[in-house]
Amino acid sequence: MASENDIHMDTFIPYMRDVTRCERSLHELNLMWRLIESSAKMHCAEEAHSMLPMMAATREGFQRLEKDLVHSMVAESVHEVLSEISTCAHHVIDIVVRNLYERTADVGFLATDLTLCNYVAGLSDQPGIIDRLREYQRKYTVYDEIMLLDLAGTVLAQIDETSPVDGSHDPLLAHTLASHGFVETFRHTNLRPHQAQALLYTQRMLHPQTGQPCGVLCLSFDFLGEMSGIFAGSSAADGRCVALLLNDQNRVLASSDAHWIAPGTVVPTNQNGAPDLYIHSGRTYLVQTVSASAYQGYPGPAGWKGQVMIPIEQAFGTKIMRCVDSLSPEVAQGLLAHAQSFCPPLYDIIQAADSIRRVVWNGQVMTAGQRGGSSRLKSVLEQIGETGTRTNQVFTQSIRDLYDTVLSAGLRDSQSLTQLLVDVLDRNLYERANDCRWWALSPVLRQLLTQADAQGGTDTALLNQATQVLEHINSLYTVYTRLMVYDRSGRILCASHPQLADGSSVLEQHIDSTTLQAVLQLGDSQSYHVSPWSAPHAGTEGATYVYHAPIRAMDADDRTVGGIAIVFNAMPELQTMLASALTGKPKTRAMYVNRQGLVLASTDPATPSGSTVALPAGPVQQLLEVQPGASHAVIAVHQQQYCIVGASVSRGYREFKTSDGYRDDVLALSVETFGQVEAHSQTPSAASHAIHSASNGMHGIEMATFYVGQQLFALRAESVLEALPATAISAVSAGRLPYCVGTLPRHTQGQVTGYVWVFDLTELLTGQRSRITAQSQVIVLEHGERKLGVLVSALHGVHHFEAQSIIAAPSMAGGPELLVSELIQANHGALLVQCINPQGLLHALQRKPQEAAMRDLPPSPLKA
């Protein structure tokens, strides 16, 4: 994330309604505190002398917080947008590169097809050559044209009848003939005369007898169709931004909205991820540009990049929901306790706001004993009370907005990440379904099984030739553990890499009867069968997919004589997909699972492949029910960690899993962790304890409210001296003092003027020692001549209550020594607040527990 200093705040604030509202509220409050301080100095300086340091501290804190909070809100909002469009840009370029890698393998293998090589070399004149090319294209539908050309560039065969080509002298043909490997070309060419630009993969073909070049194979990739599918599956599909594929000159090769930014346009780029604005065609954009990363050693076309551009007026204020509002108070507050790890600026703001709240709380407490002063002082005190309440409201809402922005970014990123993972998986498995069906058409394999079916045996030479074909294929397509050919009885006749890890051979195995029957019943060369992931299969050494296709006889009846099985090397392939998508995400784990939660592959050591992911009941468990093609993310507790859990379900790719009859929903899950759930969280929820219209103006009884755990308590304000941060407690051994956690210094004008013993009110009430957090406070109270500090979970506020709303607490035995002697019926009785009786508190500290009982509290180490 860019630092706040890198962001020009004034540029972005006009486009952020939430931030603008927050900035205005903070500025108004800043002015109010200044006016209160100035009024007190001018009209009642003597009476307000003790409060002026509090007012000065509030003003100074506000000046810092106003700037920091606004800057943090802007920075996090910009970061959210940049993260979202960066993920989308990664989505575009990563899928393109992975897809095109498969094309480089295809053209290299098909160029060695013996039937095609014999035809191009003039050794055969097969009338069915066009049918063979079309058969290939029916399986690998990513190609819109397949051509065979001779050395002179004359077209010997092509399948696109709508774009006939007699021949070509395009230099790419000479380049291909001179190259040992594939040649990748993207530009206009007369080989595809009706396309402005064509993405071609060409490779020379060798004479089967002489080994010399005899022609060229040309595969034309359906570039526009592929890009349309990629854009439709990305976050650019919502129309707020435009996703682009760029070349090395920053020229648009493909656009998610050609009416917005057309192909051929040169656009500004932002490859360093800076939070800068860019102007294009009179419109201002945030831009993220991502270069291609090599996949399996293939770098992609030189200079190609993914880019997303979002207009500045569309970038902010379009959250799908208020994330924080959808959370339970326990999760929302528990997660916020880890803000220092997942969003340091948010943590810093919370700390600063808490400090000012404490100053305001102290100021309101301090004025409680001065209500009988002059009318001018009364006016100042009333303003302090009202402005303090408004300050707390603004802080709470502003922090909530910032918190919501951070979580929204995480939810969107989780959905984008899992969508990328399932898209990559679909495209990879699409190739596996294509491969098994195409290789089933190999003349050598068909001849082997035709002979075995007719004669009951196989010729050794033919068997060796078939084995060599499988080994050759496997050497080019390393995503497979092995390839196997079996007859109608399921007996495996030959295989690549036949030896298993235990020393046995797959040639000793048979295809299981269920799979065999399914393959023998497949109707045509477009059909295939995939063995279920969970079952053990012949030729496998761990959970994986095995793709099967029927092999048909060479004779006229075209009967099924066996099949081919290709064993996907699932573990390393799936792990690579997961790991590559998690680059730069150290707190995120990902996995592929099925609908039942069975883990196919995982980056989480606690949930390895073969285990079942244990998702908590409720919204997280329901992620396994997300519909195909959909994505969702939730914030929840998982494995005792606060997490964002996201899920996407495979939607299929082209005909794969959409119209080819094969269904197997695979989900990608991502789990981003934010921190451990504390067993005894003491973080209270202020939203559930809001006190409304307690009393009007200066009338009523003033109560200082605070939290002990999740419960709201109160003390009469006149018995409270001040609140201090609990982090300042010195853990001094208190000897015979029960519930004592140490001592705390008190200051006046920067000098230590005394100490008080601090007692844990939570331990007194519940028997469990408090865990001191950033919100923990010590309330210093005075009763008679005694001063002591009580450790509480957090401060709440200072409120006026009508006398009739305060009732005596029920008790089996009354008297002045009750710890809770009164109850406040706040919010017209909807909220009960327990009032601590100072005399009862002293008595409880003296008498409990009995084994540590003492007669009296000792005096403070120094006079307070």
Side-chain angles (χ1 to χ4, degrees):
M1 171 186 162
S3 70
E4 295 176 14
N5 293 332
D6 297 331
I7 296 176
H8 302 291
M9 298 293 161
D10 293 341
T11 301
F12 292 104
I13 287 177
Y15 301 98
M16 300 176 178
R17 291 188 294 273
D18 288 348
V19 177
T20 302
R21 183 171 57 250
C22 170
E23 184 185 39
R24 184 169 56 248
S25 297
L26 287 172
H27 187 63
E28 290 173 355
L29 284 170
N30 197 345
L31 289 177
M32 284 300 301
W33 283 113
R34 286 174 176 271
L35 287 172
I36 292 171
E37 183 182 9
S38 298
S39 178
K41 287 180 178 178
M42 288 188 295
H43 300 297
C44 51
E46 184 175 349
E47 298 96 321
H49 175 74
S50 62
M51 292 179 292
L52 291 177
M54 177 276 295
M55 297 180 192
T58 303
R59 172 177 48 77
E60 292 168 1
F62 239 106
Q63 289 175 339
R64 293 190 301 271
L65 185 60
E66 181 181 7
K67 177 178 180 293
D68 293 345
L69 180 54
V70 171
H71 281 203
S72 293
M73 293 181 75
V74 171
E76 288 299 330
S77 295
V78 172
H79 169 65
E80 176 187 10
V81 174
L82 292 180
S83 176
E84 178 186 358
I85 64 176
S86 176
T87 299
C88 182
H90 271 291
H91 189 124
V92 171
I93 192 62
D94 287 351
I95 291 181
V96 166
V97 170
R98 283 163 173 75
N99 196 319
L100 298 188
Y101 164 75
E102 299 285 351
R103 313 291 64 90
T104 66
D106 285 352
V107 72
F109 178 73
L110 191 59
T112 65
D113 184 275
L114 187 59
T115 302
L116 301 184
C117 289
N118 281 331
Y119 179 78
V120 172
L123 299 179
S124 66
D125 187 18
Q126 297 184 17
I129 202 71
I130 296 296
D131 291 338
R132 184 163 179 79
L133 294 180
R134 285 179 175 156
E135 190 75 53
Y136 189 86
Q137 194 270 340
R138 287 177 64 198
K139 294 165 178 56
Y140 297 86
T141 56
V142 294
Y143 299 114
D144 54 26
E145 172 69 295
I146 304 175
M147 309 174 77
L148 300 176
L149 302 96
D150 64 15
L151 294 175
T154 301
V155 175
L156 303 177
Q158 71 172 117
I159 62 172
D160 186 1
E161 297 177 347
T162 66
S163 183
V165 178
D166 294 328
S168 173
H169 296 289
D170 192 305
L172 75 87
L173 297 176
H175 182 200
T176 302
L177 289 169
S179 302
H180 291 284
F182 72 90
V183 174
E184 186 176 57
T185 306
F186 185 71
R187 56 174 170 79
H188 176 72
T189 171
N190 59 6
L191 289 169
R192 302 293 286 146
H194 300 311
Q195 294 185 9
Q197 297 181 106
L199 181 54
L200 304 181
Y201 289 84
T202 55
Q203 182 134 347
R204 70 183 185 181
M205 305 176 73
L206 303 180
H207 195 291
Q209 297 175 354
T210 67
Q212 296 300 308
C214 61
V216 172
L217 167 68
C218 176
L219 301 179
S220 175
F221 182 64
D222 179 19
F223 176 72
L224 294 181
E226 174 64 14
M227 294 310 304
S228 177
I230 292 174
F231 291 142
S234 72
S235 59
D238 65 7
R240 292 173 52 236
C241 58
V242 59
L244 309 168
L245 182 67
L246 309 180
N247 66 8
D248 58 346
Q249 298 175 344
N250 301 331
R251 191 175 297 278
V252 177
L253 303 179
S255 170
S256 64
D257 190 337
H259 296 291
W260 187 347
I261 298 181
T265 307
V266 176
V267 294
T269 61
N270 180 22
Q271 289 190 262
N272 63 6
D276 297 328
L277 294 178
Y278 296 83
I279 297 176
H280 175 70
S281 297
R283 202 170 184 183
T284 305
Y285 294 88
L286 277 168
V287 177
Q288 288 285 272
T289 312
V290 178
S291 296
S293 298
Y295 177 69
Q296 303 284 1
Y298 169 69
W304 279 24
K305 301 177 285 287
Q307 176 160 305
V308 176
M309 303 172 66
I310 185 168
I312 186 65
E313 67 271 14
Q314 290 288 335
F316 309 105
T318 56
K319 293 187 179 73
I320 299 174
M321 65 175 184
R322 296 285 299 186
C323 306
V324 178
D325 294 344
S326 68
L327 301 180
S328 68
E330 295 78 12
V331 172
Q333 293 298 323
L335 182 56
L336 195 59
H338 294 282
Q340 189 171 18
S341 63
F342 71 83
C343 183
L346 175 59
Y347 174 80
D348 293 341
I349 294 300
I350 292 172
Q351 295 301 100
D354 282 345
S355 296
I356 296 179
R357 282 194 181 102
R358 184 172 59 250
V359 171
V360 173
W361 193 90
N362 283 339
Q364 292 173 302
V365 165
M366 187 185 305
T367 62
Q370 303 185 44
R371 297 298 180 181
S374 68
S375 59
R376 288 176 296 185
L377 178 59
K378 289 181 180 179
S379 177
V380 170
L381 299 180
E382 185 174 345
Q383 286 298 316
I384 288 176
E386 293 177 0
T387 307
T389 300
R390 173 65 179 150
T391 299
N392 284 334
Q393 293 172 349
V394 171
F395 284 171
T396 299
Q397 185 59 52
S398 299
I399 289 172
R400 196 173 182 85
D401 287 343
L402 179 56
Y403 187 23
D404 192 73
T405 297
V406 175
L407 295 183
S408 294
L411 288 169
R412 291 191 181 193
D413 193 54
S414 178
Q415 293 182 60
S416 297
L417 171 65
T418 54
Q419 187 60 63
L420 171 62
L421 285 171
V422 292
D423 283 351
V424 168
L425 180 66
D426 280 343
R427 282 164 169 77
N428 191 298
L429 299 185
Y430 159 85
E431 303 291 343
R432 313 296 63 94
N434 297 342
D435 289 348
C436 73
R437 292 178 294 167
W438 174 247
W439 296 334
L441 300 179
S442 166
V444 173
L445 303 184
R446 293 180 67 190
Q447 185 178 354
L448 173 70
L449 288 183
T450 301
Q451 183 186 88
D453 186 65
Q455 302 176 7
T458 56
D459 177 74
T460 301
L462 188 57
L463 190 62
N464 290 337
Q465 187 179 357
T467 301
Q468 290 175 5
V469 168
L470 298 182
E471 292 285 5
H472 173 64
I473 294 173
N474 211 163
S475 69
L476 295 175
Y477 292 80
T478 57
V479 296
Y480 299 111
T481 303
R482 60 182 51 87
L483 289 70
M484 305 174 293
V485 172
Y486 51 91
D487 62 18
R488 286 183 57 85
S489 70
R491 180 169 58 101
I492 298 174
L493 302 180
C494 59
S496 62
H497 310 327
Q499 186 171 358
L500 298 169
D502 62 4
S504 63
S505 171
V506 298
L507 302 179
E508 302 167 2
Q509 298 182 349
H510 283 69
I511 302 299
D512 66 275
S513 59
T514 301
T515 300
L516 181 63
Q517 290 304 310
V519 174
L520 295 178
Q521 292 173 11
L522 294 175
D524 55 36
S525 63
Q526 284 298 100
S527 303
Y528 65 96
H529 173 76
V530 186
S531 297
W533 177 275
S534 59
H537 303 288
T540 64
E541 298 172 87
T544 187
Y545 291 117
V546 182
Y547 289 78
H548 296 260
I551 296 179
R552 304 189 183 278
M554 297 286 284
D555 49 34
D557 64 7
D558 201 34
R559 68 189 184 282
T560 299
V561 290
I564 184 172
I566 58 178
V567 182
F568 183 47
N569 192 17
M571 281 304 100
E573 295 301 320
L574 297 186
Q575 290 294 144
T576 298
M577 294 179 203
L578 295 172
S580 62
L582 295 181
T583 302
K585 300 179 183 295
K587 295 184 179 180
T588 302
R589 307 181 302 276
M591 62 192 76
Y592 287 119
V593 304
N594 66 13
R595 287 289 190 189
Q596 291 70 48
L598 176 67
V599 178
L600 280 58
S602 172
T603 64
D604 182 5
T607 314
S609 173
S611 64
T612 299
V613 61
L615 297 179
V620 182
Q621 180 67 39
Q622 292 169 8
L623 289 176
L624 295 177
E625 302 170 9
V626 173
Q627 294 302 303
S631 301
H632 191 53
V634 297
I635 301 168
V637 173
H638 176 55
Q639 296 178 343
Q640 289 303 301
Q641 292 270 344
Y642 294 109
C643 302
I644 289 179
V645 184
S648 293
V649 185
S650 59
R651 71 181 75 208
Y653 172 62
R654 294 183 176 266
E655 69 282 357
F656 177 68
K657 291 187 179 180
T658 61
S659 61
D660 63 0
Y662 175 54
R663 286 289 340 154
D664 179 51
D665 288 345
V666 176
L667 295 80
L669 295 181
S670 70
V671 181
E672 182 180 6
T673 58
F674 294 99
Q676 190 78 23
V677 176
E678 297 294 339
H680 303 289
S681 175
Q682 298 184 27
T683 306
S685 171
S688 61
H689 296 101
I691 294 177
H692 310 291
S693 59
S695 176
N696 294 323
M698 309 297 292
H699 303 290
I701 300 172
E702 282 185 294
M703 292 285 187
T705 56
F706 53 90
Y707 288 98
V708 177
Q710 297 287 339
Q711 299 297 313
L712 195 60
F713 287 82
L715 279 162
R716 290 187 178 251
E718 65 263 22
S719 65
V720 176
L721 297 177
E722 62 178 334
L724 298 170
T727 52
I729 295 174
S730 297
V732 178
S733 174
R736 59 194 179 95
L737 303 180
Y739 314 112
C740 188
V741 293
T743 61
L744 187 70
R746 299 186 65 205
H747 298 79
T748 300
Q749 297 181 345
Q751 301 296 318
V752 175
T753 57
Y755 291 82
V756 291
W757 293 108
V758 179
F759 298 87
D760 188 345
L761 194 51
T762 300
E763 186 180 11
L764 172 65
L765 294 170
T766 68
Q768 294 183 339
R769 178 63 63 95
S770 293
R771 182 180 64 87
I772 296 179
T773 69
Q775 286 75 43
S776 300
Q777 306 287 331
V778 174
I779 295 177
V780 180
L781 58 91
E782 184 175 37
H783 185 69
E785 296 182 355
R786 297 192 180 280
K787 297 181 178 69
L788 72 150
V790 288
L791 175 63
V792 301
S793 303
L795 301 178
H796 181 264
V798 178
H799 306 279
H800 297 259
F801 294 99
E802 300 289 355
Q804 59 267 30
S805 67
I806 302 175
I807 62 175
S811 174
M812 296 295 293
E817 295 184 344
L818 282 175
L819 179 59
V820 176
S821 58
E822 296 174 313
L823 297 177
I824 303 172
Q825 297 174 309
N827 298 345
H828 305 289
L831 176 65
L832 287 179
V833 183
Q834 303 175 71
C835 296
I836 298 291
N837 174 13
Q839 179 61 40
L841 175 62
L842 289 170
H843 178 76
L845 291 174
Q846 291 170 345
R847 303 302 179 191
K848 295 182 179 180
Q850 292 185 4
E851 64 270 20
M854 56 183 178
R855 292 184 57 82
D856 294 291
L857 284 171
S860 298
L862 294 178
K863 185 177 179 180

